[in-house]
Amino acid sequence: MGLFQTKFDYGTHETGFPNADDVNSEVELPDNCHKDHTKYFLVTRLRLENLPEVYREPDLFDLIQCIAELTVKIIVKFCSAKRRQYWMGTEAEYPGYKDRGGKSRLIGSGRICDVVKVENDEMKCPCKDCKKANTEKRDVWNIHVFTATHVVYDSEEAIQSEVKIIYNSSDKKEQMFHGVKTIWSNALGDLCVLSCVTCNQTLATQLLQTIKQFNILWSRIRVNYKNDKKLESRQRKYKDRIVVIVSHPHGRDKSVSFDKLETRVGKRIYLDRGWHLNYKASTCTGSSGAPVYLYGMDCFTTEYVHSGSNGDYNYSTTWCPK
């Protein structure tokens, strides 16, 4: 792997700044997007046979479906006055800097990682029904979402953010909940955890069930991956390890893309060490903050979300848990 690097090659972020409300329909590509859009699969149309032959495993397919169920679109309606001017240590302008202190409509993606029932009155749901209830006590749930720091920079932005679960299915209604604050953030690694709130018990229950299944599947895949000594698996492990991304390209329908891992790069972040991934799995504006799954990874100790593109590769945020 080589020595850890301290220089960060920041390229182009992939947040979206639409001029009008997005439409949840087939992707209508902006004229100025020159990326390859032929390798996206709408979540509802992905089939096992679409995966590379060596990865046509039911557990992996089911895991991708779980990741898709937990993937959200984030709409940030205010730009913090504290947004930095440049990516740290560079002269590359930080996304949203020109709008700091004012209204915004920045769009990115993220992944729900935890749901916890709130046992006190410290957190209230800002939805219309809860506001009408006034003093009536209503049960609420805290939803944690991993995304990129350049999507939701701080709590000032979080509290004015909407988070949407779009199922791309006629039998499931779109769900929306609201941001409250950021509970963890690493600006240099470009990764944060957004705290949100909902009063929708049915949604909270469904998400908890999906998270439970997600944990079962990634754990089982990891065990099999580490214990598989066959030649094909050794090649897969060291050369053609698959990277899967679920995102809202151009802020539209939830889509899956995948390709092999190109490189895994070590980075120094102050006194700590972290890693980021380089890959060619398709991404576009709106993909920033989207979950990035590396086959066989330990999802309990490691988290990657999409950060941007530098021309040669697309790349993830840098995982640095401290």
Side-chain angles (χ1 to χ4, degrees):
M1 186 61 62
L3 297 175
F4 278 77
Q5 304 173 24
T6 55
K7 180 181 178 182
F8 283 73
D9 183 21
Y10 293 111
T12 303
H13 69 88
E14 294 198 299
T15 48
F17 294 88
N19 294 319
D21 290 343
D22 66 293
V23 179
N24 295 314
S25 61
E26 292 284 343
V27 177
E28 297 175 8
L29 304 175
D31 293 336
N32 61 351
C33 183
H34 303 294
K35 284 200 157 189
D36 181 6
H37 301 92
T38 63
K39 295 182 180 180
Y40 284 117
F41 293 89
L42 290 175
V43 170
T44 52
R45 297 181 183 176
L46 182 69
R47 300 293 181 266
L48 184 64
E49 56 267 26
N50 296 134
L51 297 176
E53 186 173 358
V54 71
Y55 285 104
R56 290 174 189 169
E57 304 168 1
D59 276 357
L60 177 59
F61 181 80
D62 290 344
L63 179 65
I64 294 171
Q65 296 300 317
C66 284
I67 294 172
E69 290 280 319
L70 298 171
T71 297
V72 297
K73 179 164 72 173
I74 302 172
I75 303 170
V76 185
K77 295 187 172 183
F78 179 80
C79 189
S80 172
K82 296 179 181 178
R83 276 206 175 229
R84 61 177 66 250
Q85 184 174 4
Y86 302 108
W87 288 101
M88 195 175 295
T90 77
E91 294 184 358
E93 186 173 294
Y94 199 80
Y97 172 74
K98 292 180 180 178
D99 295 323
R100 65 197 185 284
K103 292 182 179 180
S104 174
R105 191 168 170 78
L106 183 151
I107 289 179
S109 301
R111 180 183 73 84
I112 295 168
C113 59
D114 199 9
V115 179
V116 180
K117 187 175 181 180
V118 179
E119 299 294 347
N120 51 47
D121 295 329
E122 292 181 2
M123 188 174 290
K124 298 184 183 298
C125 178
C127 76
K128 293 180 181 179
D129 290 341
C130 286
K131 287 181 178 178
K132 288 179 182 178
N134 199 7
T135 58
E136 178 188 344
K137 188 179 186 309
R138 293 169 64 92
D139 290 336
V140 296
W141 286 261
N142 188 200
I143 301 176
H144 295 167
V145 178
F146 270 112
T147 188
T149 305
H150 76 264
V151 174
V152 183
Y153 190 74
D154 58 18
S155 293
E156 191 176 20
E157 294 185 0
I159 201 169
Q160 298 191 57
S161 296
E162 293 178 351
V163 182
K164 293 184 177 182
I165 304 177
I166 300 171
Y167 293 103
N168 299 0
S169 173
S170 59
D171 62 344
K172 284 190 176 182
K173 185 179 179 182
E174 174 184 308
Q175 301 288 343
M176 185 183 78
F177 45 93
H178 296 81
V180 176
K181 60 183 178 180
T182 52
I183 56 176
W184 180 87
S185 182
N186 187 308
L188 186 55
D190 195 28
L191 183 65
C192 76
V193 179
L194 174 64
S195 175
C196 307
V197 63
T198 183
C199 61
N200 188 330
Q201 181 176 0
T202 301
L203 174 63
T205 301
Q206 290 173 344
L207 290 174
L208 282 168
Q209 291 173 346
T210 303
I211 291 170
K212 181 179 179 180
Q213 184 65 11
F214 168 83
N215 288 332
I216 291 171
L217 289 166
W218 75 252
S219 299
R220 195 155 63 203
I221 290 172
R222 178 165 176 78
V223 169
N224 292 338
Y225 165 73
K226 291 181 69 176
N227 294 337
D228 195 341
K229 305 299 183 183
K230 292 187 294 185
L231 176 62
E232 293 84 2
S233 296
R234 289 180 61 82
Q235 290 176 335
R236 179 171 65 194
K237 180 175 181 179
Y238 296 110
K239 185 177 180 181
D240 294 326
R241 203 169 168 188
I242 193 173
V243 172
V244 179
I245 301 174
V246 184
S247 70
H248 286 278
H250 300 292
R252 297 180 184 273
D253 282 354
K254 195 179 297 183
S255 300
V256 179
S257 61
F258 44 82
D259 208 328
K260 68 177 182 179
L261 173 69
E262 296 291 339
T263 54
R264 181 171 174 261
V265 183
K267 296 290 186 181
R268 288 196 182 277
I269 299 181
Y270 302 118
L271 299 178
D272 203 3
R273 299 190 303 180
W275 300 90
H276 82 247
L277 310 177
N278 290 332
Y279 41 82
K280 292 186 178 179
S282 294
T283 59
C284 289
T285 56
S287 295
S288 279
V292 176
Y293 173 72
L294 175 64
Y295 186 87
M297 69 182 280
D298 184 342
C299 296
F300 184 73
T301 62
T302 307
E303 184 71 30
Y304 298 111
V305 304
H306 180 63
S307 183
S309 175
N310 61 17
D312 295 322
Y313 301 115
N314 297 324
Y315 56 87
S316 74
T317 54
T318 301
W319 172 247
C320 185
K322 292 185 180 179

